[in-house]
Amino acid sequence: MTAGITVDLADPVPPFEQIRRQLSSLIAIGVLEPGSRLPTVRSLAADLGIAAGTVARAYKELEQQGLIESRRRNGTIVVGPPQAPNGTIRADAAVMAAVDGLILTARDAGVSDETLIDLLRGRLASKLDS
């Protein structure tokens, strides 16, 4: 499970937020489907080389978002992707296709994943300010 989760301690984004974002994305795109079990807090923390409290905070925030559910004896499971107020999945097929197209275009242009993410964050931030 940790194959898709990484923590960059040099990143200014706190580690718990890095974990929360990555798991949220994996749930939104369907890599982690409803019913999927997440590793225990201690197991994921050990795999990532970080404190268990950091993973616990990420899990807590994901649970508050309604993406995961912690069940005694059954561990932590994925409940489902984020839902819009009308009950539809926010990351619909058109958005996912656009994201996939953006990734392919960036890779064809030789743009690294990190640079693409930075560009996207910059554009999102500029759009929020307008």
Side-chain angles (χ1 to χ4, degrees):
M1 164 56 219
T2 58
I5 305 295
T6 59
V7 172
D8 179 2
L9 298 177
D11 191 328
V13 175
F16 80 90
E17 180 62 13
Q18 292 178 45
I19 296 167
R20 188 202 63 75
R21 285 180 182 175
Q22 291 174 61
L23 286 172
S24 179
S25 293
L26 291 171
I27 293 168
I29 65 173
V31 171
L32 291 174
E33 297 178 345
S36 300
R37 288 186 66 165
L38 296 180
T40 65
V41 167
R42 287 183 183 167
S43 172
L44 184 55
D47 289 349
L48 296 173
I50 59 174
T54 302
V55 175
R57 182 168 177 190
Y59 278 19
K60 179 181 177 186
E61 293 200 8
L62 288 165
E63 192 163 15
Q64 289 173 342
Q65 290 179 282
L67 299 178
I68 66 172
E69 186 175 281
S70 295
R71 299 178 179 167
R72 290 186 186 256
R73 297 186 185 179
N74 290 332
T76 303
I77 62 160
V78 173
V79 177
Q83 298 283 315
N86 64 2
T88 61
I89 296 173
R90 284 189 223 160
D92 65 9
V95 173
M96 295 310 295
V99 170
D100 290 345
L102 175 62
I103 292 168
L104 290 174
T105 301
R107 288 194 175 147
D108 287 346
V111 176
S112 72
D113 291 352
E114 294 78 20
T115 300
L116 177 60
I117 291 168
D118 290 342
L119 289 169
L120 185 56
R121 283 188 182 132
R123 296 296 291 172
L124 285 169
S126 71
K127 296 297 179 190
L128 291 175
D129 293 339
S130 351

